[in-house]
Amino acid sequence: MNIPWTPQNIITDRSKSLRALSELPVKKRALVRALCGGKGFASRMGTLGFVPGSIVTMMQNYGRGPVLVLVKNVRVALGRGEARKVLVEQLPEEQGKND
Amino acid sequence: MFITMALAGQPNVGKTTVFNMLTGLSQHVGNWPGKTVEQRTGEYTHAGQIIHLVDLPGTYSLTANSEEERIARDFILRERPDVVIVIINAAALERNLYLVAELLALPVRIVIGLNMMDVAKRHGAEVEPHVLEAALRVPVIPLVATYNQGLYELMDAALCLAKDRVDFAPNRPEIRPAHRPVLEEIRSLIAAKTPFPCPADWAAIKLLEGDAEITEMIRQAVPDEWEHIHALLKQHEDAALDVAGGRYEWIERMVRAAISKPKVGVITFTDRLDQVALHPFLGLVMLTGIFGLVFWLTYTVATPVVDWLDTVVISELAASTRGMLVAAPGWSTSLVVDGLIGGAGTVLVLMPVLIIFFAILGFLEDIGYLARSAYVMDRFMHWMGLHGRSFLPFFIGLGCNVPAVLGARVVGERRARLLTILLIPLVPCTARMAVIAFLAPAFFGERAALVTWGLVTLNIIILALTGIAINRTVFKGEHVAFIMEMPLYHLPNARTIGLFVWNNTWDFIKKAGTIILLFSALVWALAYFPSGHIQTSLLAQLGRWLEPLGQPMGLADWRMIVALLSSFIAKENTIAVLGILYGTESDLGLATQLSGALSPAAALAFLVVQMTFIPCVATMAAIKQEIGWRWTGFSVGLLLLLSLCFGILAYHVAHLVGL
């Protein structure tokens, strides 16, 4: 379930509905594809389980303010700015249920 | 043989509970040398062997993203503890094993305490400790720390490892194949020259991960090869996330057999409660309700005890001391009774309020609610360039500003922490509220509740405006990241809360107690010399000299100025000093006299100034300890300016509306 990520991949993947985590609706699942932002940010997020290939589930997203995301079975709150820097690919419903 | 063990673990795994269970009151709380991070050590005796236990800061990893992480890894590398006990949370197994993966890269023996087995089971995730142990080849002991289950076995396993009774040959994580060649190349370049105590293998991985501290260390250690290494790292910038990804792949392999996956889509109790607690509107309502409850509980329970301490214990003590010192010179009796007992009294009288406040705070923290309040407030904190975490010290500040200043350490980023500390004195603490609770009815009678409510609201507005202003000007609106784990809600543990209260209260007594006592003696001297009467003392002269400052807000009475100045020792001193200054003139109660002494507009200005004035000396000492003299000076200047401006403003607005 790990999808290798390289900078080239991102560009080709644009067509495949890559979006910011902050745009992911509640209860939807997605694959983390890339982290934008500095090294420190990527390192902190990677530690918490936001690595390319991880599955995340949006628990709360009211369109403003922070979001709550389930990653590696842990609930992590992210400021909206931080959630914007995580690029994800939304998983279709049926695939989500089987995993 | 002297054995040292370190206790490691990510936040929210029950590590503190384990440490408390093992060490109890033998624990010593201090700071890591030269750092503003709390260090806790303690003793534990197992099978006749005394074990020195060091509680490492809770960290998600060992990459130098924070002060805590640097401390944890430095301790392991430099002090080489005999064993590192890692506590992991069975309900978040994979994320918790990330720290284990990092620890296994260090030259240290580890034992894993698999905690919260009960919580994991309730969430439908069954973990088999033996299977995990076989995969990792590291001892794994199941625990339910809150019920003291498994701790004996854990220490037994740790001691066996420390005494070389068992072999330690763990399964160590490896880097993904794509980056193995570059790792090997870097390793060979730095192998002979990596400074003690870092192993070269580990340093090479940290270089790939972009660890700032190790990068700097290697740059200085191998100046000749640095250009080459730097070029390699530049080429493989994607390695940082790849290393983390590789660790998670390794973890997945380790846990595959040991864990039965929770059913997808199970709505847990935590998720149901979070629907309300984290809701943008309902969450605020809930937070406000909890605030109300906290204050109602604090004051209803504490007030009778405070009154008893004040009227019975302190006055008895003062009276009997006066009796004992009857033969001594007048000034020495006055020093002991008015200065020292008075000063100690202010500390003692505040104790019940603080203990109850800390108990409620410890309770909210232990059940997992405190993190939610940070989440709910995050939106508002962003206005000031802060994020949700800064709300936690503000919350503590409502009890007492001293632990709040120390508590600002949770904020992490230096700049955000600095701003949080600068704003904390504007959070009205219990002592300030006690003054308002006495003076508002004296000045405003039936409208006291409205005035009090208005004053607190005004303080919040001033805090927000000041935060926005400092953020825009001094800090130029830098962005800080809000990333915070929301732990599962769980039942409170009496021992954890008890020790939280004990440590915080004892800390307050040590810090505030000594300083308040010292300054009480100083202010007593100012109020006593040269004449022996406060009306003609140095303090009174100072008050008269400062009278022009009070003029624009209708406070042309030096006694009001002196009362404000004395609040520098401890906020509740204001009432005591007003009592001395006005009390001698007639037999009328202080409240009655005060209501006649000031016009309503001037009284309002006085209360506003009291709420925004410089913090007490104990808070200031804490601020100095945390951010140094320069910023403490800035803080004092800022608060003096604010209290003066808003005092004058309140006076004139009150006049305009016809008060």
Side-chain angles (χ1 to χ4, degrees):
Chain A
M1 80 186 201
N2 284 287
I3 292 165
W5 168 75
T6 57
Q8 291 80 19
N9 258 351
I10 286 200
I11 296 154
T12 50
D13 277 346
R14 281 268 151 78
S15 55
K16 250 210 269 165
S17 69
L18 217 55
R19 50 156 71 173
L21 178 59
S22 53
E23 307 300 314
L24 187 68
V26 170
K27 289 183 186 151
K28 296 284 187 270
R29 287 149 50 89
L31 272 177
V32 175
R33 296 306 300 267
L35 297 176
C36 313
K39 262 187 184 175
F41 175 72
S43 171
R44 278 180 75 187
M45 295 290 282
T47 300
L48 288 172
F50 290 93
V51 286
S54 286
I55 294 179
V56 294
T57 310
M58 183 57 73
M59 305 298 282
Q60 281 205 31
N61 187 352
Y62 287 95
R64 62 199 173 101
V67 297
L68 186 69
V69 182
L70 188 73
V71 58
K72 306 276 179 205
N73 207 26
V74 179
R75 286 149 191 82
V76 177
L78 295 177
R80 191 146 287 271
E82 283 65 61
R84 259 187 227 119
K85 293 189 207 157
V86 182
L87 293 183
V88 298
E89 180 191 325
Q90 193 175 331
L91 290 170
E93 297 287 298
E94 51 283 354
Q95 191 187 331
K97 273 174 192 156
N98 293 334
D99 191 76
Chain B
M1 194 174 78
F2 192 68
I3 289 187
T4 301
M5 293 187 188
L7 200 61
Q10 295 190 340
N12 307 311
V13 297
K15 185 165 71 77
T16 309
T17 313
V18 172
F19 185 76
N20 287 344
M21 286 285 180
L22 291 174
T23 59
L25 288 177
S26 86
Q27 55 182 264
H28 173 78
V29 184
N31 269 4
W32 289 88
K35 303 280 165 68
T36 53
V37 176
E38 192 177 84
Q39 181 194 44
R40 309 198 317 148
T41 57
E43 308 268 286
Y44 175 75
T45 311
H46 187 90
Q49 170 73 52
I50 296 175
I51 297 165
H52 181 60
L53 214 56
V54 179
D55 191 17
L56 298 177
T59 59
Y60 290 110
S61 75
L62 293 178
T63 305
N65 287 325
S66 69
E67 189 89 330
E68 284 82 1
E69 286 167 330
R70 269 192 288 275
I71 287 169
R73 74 182 192 192
D74 278 358
F75 182 83
I76 293 170
L77 283 171
R78 286 176 205 282
E79 309 296 325
R80 296 282 160 104
D82 296 283
V83 171
V84 175
I85 300 168
V86 198
I87 306 300
I88 64 175
N89 176 351
L93 191 60
E94 294 179 44
R95 224 282 310 284
N96 272 261
L97 283 174
Y98 192 88
L99 182 65
V100 173
E102 284 233 50
L103 282 165
L104 284 172
L106 294 175
V108 69
R109 292 155 175 243
I110 70 170
V111 172
I112 294 174
L114 184 61
N115 196 19
M116 303 197 173
M117 292 291 285
D118 51 337
V119 181
K121 200 171 274 180
R122 237 178 288 135
H123 285 80
E126 299 270 356
V127 184
E128 302 276 354
H130 296 295
V131 183
L132 189 62
E133 181 171 300
L136 291 165
R137 283 187 264 143
V138 169
V140 176
I141 316 295
L143 302 176
V144 181
T146 41
Y147 294 105
N148 206 350
Q149 283 171 16
L151 290 177
Y152 185 88
E153 292 78 1
L154 178 72
M155 295 312 285
D156 219 39
L159 203 59
C160 276
L161 209 54
K163 293 196 164 174
D164 279 323
R165 289 197 199 122
V166 282
D167 287 335
F168 186 69
N171 192 338
R172 296 184 201 267
E174 276 188 0
I175 190 166
R176 277 182 186 164
H179 286 107
R180 266 179 217 161
V182 64
L183 179 72
E184 187 47 44
E185 195 177 349
I186 292 177
R187 205 190 65 82
S188 63
L189 281 169
I190 64 171
K193 292 172 186 161
T194 312
F196 179 83
C198 293
D201 299 14
W202 180 76
I205 292 184
K206 287 293 152 197
L207 281 178
L208 275 183
E209 281 188 84
D211 185 299
E213 197 185 46
I214 300 296
T215 307
E216 185 53 28
M217 183 189 82
I218 296 293
R219 196 179 65 83
Q220 286 178 9
V222 291
D224 301 336
E225 289 92 342
W226 178 248
E227 215 162 294
H228 186 188
I229 296 172
H230 187 68
L232 281 174
L233 292 175
K234 198 89 191 165
Q235 241 175 53
H236 294 270
E237 261 193 327
D238 58 326
L241 264 180
D242 211 42
V243 171
R247 285 196 190 110
Y248 272 113
E249 273 169 25
W250 175 82
I251 289 167
E252 221 169 274
R253 285 203 301 280
M254 293 295 111
V255 303
R256 198 169 289 154
I259 190 170
S260 64
K261 285 264 175 192
K263 284 162 239 135
V264 174
V266 173
I267 309 272
T268 62
F269 171 72
T270 294
D271 295 325
R272 268 197 300 267
L273 192 50
D274 276 348
Q275 292 287 330
V276 178
L278 298 185
H279 189 274
F281 176 70
L282 294 177
L284 270 183
V285 173
M286 187 167 163
L287 182 61
T288 318
I290 286 176
F291 264 143
L293 206 64
V294 168
F295 283 99
W296 181 77
L297 263 177
T298 305
Y299 291 103
T300 359
V301 181
T303 306
V305 189
V306 170
D307 287 346
W308 176 77
L309 281 174
D310 202 17
T311 53
V312 181
V313 179
I314 304 288
S315 7
E316 285 285 319
L317 186 67
S320 60
T321 313
R322 209 182 285 277
M324 280 190 306
L325 292 176
V326 80
W331 68 267
S332 70
T333 313
S334 176
L335 169 65
V336 173
V337 175
D338 303 328
L340 300 184
I341 294 181
T346 50
V347 180
L348 185 68
V349 162
L350 257 191
M351 291 284 72
V353 179
L354 275 181
I355 289 173
I356 292 163
F357 186 83
F358 282 136
I360 301 171
L361 197 70
F363 172 82
L364 290 175
E365 158 87 7
D366 198 38
I367 61 167
Y369 180 74
L370 225 47
R372 268 75 186 181
S373 69
Y375 183 96
V376 171
M377 293 304 290
D378 182 63
R379 269 187 299 159
F380 308 104
M381 304 307 281
H382 271 286
W383 296 344
M384 297 177 269
L386 297 172
H387 56 67
R389 262 177 213 270
S390 289
F391 179 68
L392 301 179
F394 289 160
F395 199 159
I396 302 172
L398 291 166
C400 174
N401 283 185
V402 177
V405 171
L406 304 179
R409 291 168 183 183
V410 299
V411 176
E413 295 96 336
R414 205 194 109 72
R415 189 198 62 81
R417 186 169 140 245
L418 186 59
L419 180 53
T420 306
I421 290 176
L422 289 177
L423 294 177
I424 284 172
L426 289 169
V427 177
C429 67
T430 46
R432 272 187 212 230
M433 291 310 291
V435 174
I436 299 300
F438 178 84
L439 292 181
F443 287 137
F444 297 100
E446 280 170 7
R447 282 177 297 173
L450 187 70
V451 171
T452 307
W453 184 82
L455 284 168
V456 174
T457 312
L458 181 68
N459 255 54
I460 295 171
I461 293 171
I462 295 176
L463 189 151
L465 290 179
T466 313
I468 293 169
I470 296 182
N471 180 46
R472 293 265 164 88
T473 55
V474 185
F475 296 136
K476 312 225 161 50
E478 274 174 62
H479 178 77
V480 287
F482 178 55
I483 306 171
M484 192 177 185
E485 182 180 345
M486 295 288 127
L488 293 171
Y489 291 105
H490 54 85
L491 290 173
N493 178 268
R495 198 175 162 117
T496 306
I497 299 172
L499 276 163
F500 177 86
V501 173
W502 165 255
N503 284 334
N504 271 298
T505 311
W506 181 233
D507 218 39
F508 173 81
I509 294 175
K510 274 190 301 187
K511 286 213 173 67
T514 44
I515 297 169
I516 289 180
L517 216 56
L518 249 149
F519 272 78
S520 298
L522 180 72
V523 167
W524 168 84
L526 283 177
Y528 188 84
F529 293 111
S531 59
H533 297 286
I534 193 166
Q535 279 82 354
T536 49
S537 68
L538 291 168
L539 195 62
Q541 287 169 31
L542 187 65
R544 289 201 179 90
W545 184 68
L546 288 172
E547 243 175 22
L549 277 179
Q551 211 87 48
M553 46 185 130
L555 298 175
D557 189 335
W558 64 272
R559 290 175 292 195
M560 286 291 165
I561 310 257
V562 168
L564 268 178
L565 289 179
S566 67
S567 77
F568 177 55
I569 305 302
K571 290 293 146 191
E572 62 279 21
N573 265 14
T574 307
I575 300 172
V577 169
L578 284 175
I580 296 168
L581 293 178
Y582 284 90
T584 45
E585 284 178 7
S586 77
D587 292 333
L588 284 171
L590 177 61
T592 328
Q593 281 197 42
L594 283 175
S595 62
L598 291 179
S599 72
L604 188 69
F606 181 76
L607 293 184
V608 168
V609 174
Q610 160 73 28
M611 287 286 271
T612 49
F613 200 56
I614 50 173
C616 68
V617 63
T619 304
M620 224 147 87
I623 293 178
K624 188 250 140 194
Q625 180 198 317
E626 298 290 298
I627 59 176
W629 278 121
R630 213 163 57 90
W631 284 107
T632 310
F634 179 82
S635 168
V636 170
L638 178 75
L639 290 164
L640 283 177
L641 188 70
L642 281 176
S643 56
L644 197 64
C645 289
F646 280 94
I648 295 171
L649 193 69
Y651 180 67
H652 288 283
V653 170
H655 257 300
L656 277 180
V657 300
L659 262 177

